Amino acid sequence: MAENNENLSSTERIKMASDSLRGTFVESLANEITGSINEDDIALVRFHGMYIQDDRDRRDERAEKKLERLYSFMIRLRLTGGVISPEQYIALHNIAGENSTGVLKITTRQTIQLHGVLKSKVKPTLKAFNQAGLTTIATCGDINRNVLCSSHPKQSPLHAEIFAYAKDIATMMLPKTNAYYEIWLDGEKIADKELEADPLYQNRYMPRKFKVGIVIPPNNDIDVLANDLALIAIVDNGELKGFNIAIGGGMSATHGNPDHYPRLASVLGFVEGKEKTLKAVYEVATIQRDYGNRSDRKVARLKYTVDRLGLEWWKQELERRCGFELQEAQPFHFESRRDYYGWEQNHEGLWYYTVFVENGRILDDENVALKTALLQVAQTGKANFIFTCNQNVILGDIQPEDKAAIEDILNKYRIIEHTNNASVIRKNAMACVALNTCPLALAEGQRYMPTLLSKIEPLLIKHDLIMEEIVMRMTGCPNGCARPFAAEIGFVGTALGKYNLQLGGDRVGQRLNKLYKESLEEEAILTELDNLFERFVAERIDGETFGDFTFRKVVAP
């Protein structure tokens, strides 16, 4: 039976009493005494594309001075499939410089987020985004978030057709409330509230976040099965036949609690045609809306609803709501989940250059002037920008006659050299934001991963494995934003300087890893990896990946 309204969590009650997500933001923004906002608004601001954070590196210092924590906002864009124009990129660059830390952070879900936006700068930031044709609505909170799509047009001549599905899904699943426009953009208030009645989200929205991704095999570059709802494109003889639809993916877990676990999506069946596909996506969301747990947010994601009610029940309920039967799932095959670094040409003759961006941080540092280079590329107006789920950026849709001009800029700032010289393990690595801004972080993530990799690379050289395509990921906590549980080697923070070592995920994102050793410090991590690499070289089967080897010989039951 559907979840009833008894024992609702506090967040559920806040949502339902929020006047379609309006809350008390007007009062919160007017309060100059604090850098934060009203307590209930902290839950609601997520639906508008923001999280409130503070600088955890400065907590003790400010506490000693009896000062409030240094609060700021993380603001995230809604960029379906990760695509923006050069004009929008220039605007993004300028807004980041004026209103945030200046660093553009590519997320693991194909979008950009800014950190360090003070409360007084939030409204000007959102207005500036809006003027550039950008929005932050529905990028956080209990709602459908950024819709993912395989990023590189090289993957299929049908890329544009499949990308259009992602755009349609993103539009279909936008909330109907006018609150965002009223509060942040000074839009006209709706006189008749019936005009913003929302048949999908009602006044409850989703029990938790709801993530959708579309992938084009054989490259699983978006980790499609880590989404609540996954669409796997089935292409035959150059024609899009339809999509396998899978449900129940999600990475978050809780240390020491087996009831909270990562899960990969399970395939329910096959749908064909845009109308049926969109209907199936919509009704999966309505089922989760009606049956998801609204009393315990720890088990409110769709994956828990799937496991509680069963796949067969889900299939029958989805068919009932859709009014048609799902077809038998079609075969598909993944070979990799990597980005195509360097220059590639699509079927139309357009050029694409994939730039390596370590942990997704676009900035100028002592190694490379990446931020300056990308701005100059944007200023030519000759390349669109496509952000990837591996936290890189593709300079895309470049006409053949413009390729040399773009390449000159990339060479001038040593971007090509930087991309070419990065090791395979570094290019395949990801890390979450973690400290100093994420309030959930138990350990470092993006600030530490490059240092650790510099100590792992010599071990790979020692064992003649430096060209091995190993997928390695790190998070500062078990919420799994960098998808560490779907890596061949995963590091999950347990305390400052300590990480669980996870092993045995496959190369293509169809098998989760398992806990190998708990709360290891750096020296122990390096010792374990040294021994594992040695065993891998000595005992591997011909062509066996590191993940398959550790699953077979180290962590398998």
Side-chain angles (χ1 to χ4, degrees):
M1 59 181 291
E3 190 76 15
N4 60 37
N5 285 341
E6 296 178 8
N7 302 316
L8 290 177
S9 70
S10 59
T11 301
E12 290 299 317
R13 297 185 187 280
I14 290 169
K15 287 187 290 187
M16 293 174 71
S18 70
D19 187 17
S20 296
L21 304 180
R22 287 172 176 81
T24 58
F25 286 119
V26 173
E27 293 87 344
S28 282
L29 293 171
N31 185 353
E32 297 179 358
I33 296 174
T34 175
S36 185
I37 53 180
N38 296 341
E39 186 175 352
D40 285 2
D41 288 340
I42 291 174
L44 297 176
V45 79
R46 300 171 184 175
F47 292 82
H48 299 261
M50 291 164 271
Y51 283 99
I52 184 115
Q53 302 179 333
D54 75 283
D55 187 341
R56 294 177 60 179
D57 288 345
R58 299 186 62 183
R59 278 185 182 178
D60 292 344
E61 166 207 336
R62 294 182 70 82
E64 285 180 14
K65 296 178 180 178
K66 294 183 169 41
L67 295 173
E68 179 183 68
R69 289 179 177 180
L70 187 56
Y71 289 111
S72 63
F73 291 76
M74 181 277 282
I75 300 182
R76 183 183 293 156
L77 286 173
R78 187 178 182 90
L79 298 178
T80 304
V83 179
I84 60 173
S85 69
E87 294 78 17
Q88 289 174 321
Y89 186 87
I90 293 169
L92 175 59
H93 175 102
N94 293 334
I95 293 165
E98 293 166 6
N99 297 343
S100 77
T101 61
V103 176
L104 303 177
K105 171 68 178 181
I106 306 173
T107 77
T108 58
R109 290 186 56 79
Q110 283 187 311
T111 189
I112 291 285
Q113 57 192 41
L114 305 182
H115 290 263
V117 181
L118 299 178
K119 186 167 77 171
S120 62
K121 293 287 189 179
V122 170
K123 194 167 181 176
T125 298
L126 300 195
K127 280 189 169 183
F129 280 148
N130 183 66
Q131 289 171 359
L134 298 168
T135 184
T136 69
I137 191 170
T139 54
C140 313
D142 303 342
I143 205 161
N144 173 61
R145 299 192 178 184
N146 203 48
V147 178
L148 309 183
C149 185
S150 289
S151 54
H152 206 302
K154 173 194 172 176
Q155 289 182 232
S156 170
L158 302 178
H159 182 272
E161 179 182 350
I162 294 167
F163 179 80
Y165 277 80
K167 296 286 284 186
D168 288 342
I169 291 168
T171 300
M172 176 180 72
M173 303 191 76
L174 274 173
K176 306 302 182 192
T177 174
N178 198 52
Y180 182 90
Y181 310 97
E182 291 177 13
I183 296 165
W184 309 110
L185 307 179
D186 295 328
E188 186 176 343
K189 293 185 178 180
I190 286 181
D192 182 1
K193 289 297 183 68
E194 289 298 317
L195 294 175
E196 62 177 5
D198 199 326
L200 173 58
Y201 295 119
Q202 300 172 352
N203 69 338
R204 301 179 291 166
Y205 298 89
M206 301 297 286
R208 281 298 298 270
K209 65 183 79 170
F210 187 82
K211 297 178 177 180
V212 179
I214 305 176
V215 74
I216 307 172
N219 188 14
N220 184 21
D221 61 320
I222 69 164
D223 261 323
V224 71
L225 298 178
N227 289 273
D228 296 88
L229 192 155
L231 294 176
I232 303 162
I234 304 300
V235 178
D236 185 35
N237 291 325
E239 181 183 352
L240 178 63
K241 296 297 184 182
F243 297 90
N244 282 347
I245 185 166
I247 59 171
M251 287 289 103
S252 58
T254 301
H255 287 313
N257 189 339
D259 293 334
H260 306 156
Y261 48 83
R263 188 186 192 282
L264 295 178
S266 304
V267 176
L268 279 183
F270 174 79
V271 290
E272 58 183 355
K274 180 161 283 190
E275 183 179 347
K276 286 186 175 181
T277 301
L278 295 180
K279 178 67 171 173
V281 169
Y282 185 91
E283 296 301 352
V284 166
T286 68
I287 297 171
Q288 169 63 358
R289 177 200 66 201
D290 294 343
Y291 287 88
N293 191 311
R294 292 183 181 268
S295 58
D296 183 355
R297 291 181 62 79
K298 284 285 190 180
V299 290
R301 285 288 294 275
L302 189 146
K303 61 184 177 180
Y304 300 111
T305 317
V306 169
D307 286 342
R308 174 163 50 87
L309 298 173
L311 283 172
E312 187 56 36
W313 180 93
W314 265 89
K315 184 172 181 290
Q316 291 176 5
E317 181 65 11
L318 180 58
E319 290 175 339
R320 186 185 71 80
R321 294 194 182 201
C322 286
F324 57 83
E325 293 185 358
L326 300 182
Q327 298 179 42
E328 186 176 343
Q330 300 295 303
F332 65 93
H333 174 66
F334 290 138
E335 296 176 354
S336 65
R337 49 177 162 164
R338 61 184 295 273
D339 285 346
Y340 303 101
Y341 291 102
W343 285 111
E344 296 284 352
Q345 198 171 21
N346 78 345
H347 64 288
E348 296 175 321
L350 298 176
W351 285 96
Y352 300 80
Y353 189 90
T354 302
V355 178
F356 169 58
V357 185
E358 188 153 29
N359 298 322
R361 303 181 75 212
I362 299 178
L363 72 166
D364 291 348
D365 60 18
E366 64 277 6
N367 297 315
V368 64
L370 181 60
K371 190 177 179 186
T372 298
L374 293 180
L375 177 62
Q376 288 199 14
V377 169
Q379 287 170 338
T380 70
K382 299 180 185 300
N384 288 320
F385 287 67
I386 309 167
F387 303 111
T388 81
C389 287
N390 290 312
Q391 298 181 294
N392 298 305
V393 61
I394 303 169
L395 306 175
D397 306 316
I398 300 167
Q399 296 290 338
E401 61 269 24
D402 296 328
K403 178 173 179 274
I406 302 301
E407 188 164 43
D408 285 346
I409 296 171
L410 297 178
N411 279 323
K412 176 182 177 181
Y413 291 98
R414 301 171 60 190
I415 304 303
I416 292 177
E417 178 185 342
H418 172 71
T419 297
N420 290 344
N421 289 346
S423 66
V424 173
I425 191 82
R426 202 171 287 265
K427 286 178 179 176
N428 285 342
M430 287 201 298
C432 70
V433 172
L435 297 171
N436 61 325
T437 55
C438 178
L440 303 176
L442 305 170
E444 293 282 357
Q446 67 179 14
R447 297 196 299 192
Y448 173 55
M449 184 66 151
T451 301
L452 181 61
L453 282 167
S454 293
K455 298 178 181 181
I456 291 172
E457 286 164 337
L459 300 179
L460 292 167
I461 293 171
K462 170 184 172 182
H463 296 290
D464 198 24
L465 292 172
I466 194 63
M467 298 307 294
E468 190 73 23
E469 292 266 1
I470 298 172
V471 176
M472 181 179 290
R473 296 170 178 173
M474 172 181 285
T475 55
C477 81
N479 284 285
C481 292
R483 303 186 289 278
F485 302 110
E488 292 179 275
I489 300 173
F491 302 108
V492 182
T494 59
L496 195 60
K498 295 184 178 182
Y499 300 85
N500 284 351
L501 176 56
Q502 307 273 146
L503 297 174
D506 67 2
R507 184 66 51 84
V508 297
Q510 290 183 279
R511 182 182 66 236
L512 296 177
N513 55 32
K514 296 186 178 184
L515 176 62
Y516 174 59
K517 294 286 180 70
E518 292 187 84
S519 292
L520 300 182
E521 295 182 334
E522 183 182 275
E523 183 177 356
I525 288 171
L526 295 174
T527 299
E528 290 291 346
L529 291 181
D530 192 13
N531 293 334
L532 288 163
F533 292 154
E534 183 176 24
R535 284 189 61 188
F536 178 47
V537 170
E539 303 173 36
R540 73 189 295 190
I541 298 169
D542 186 42
E544 189 173 34
T545 65
F546 183 78
D548 287 349
F549 168 77
T550 52
F551 181 77
R552 178 173 64 88
K553 296 287 287 187
V554 181
V555 296

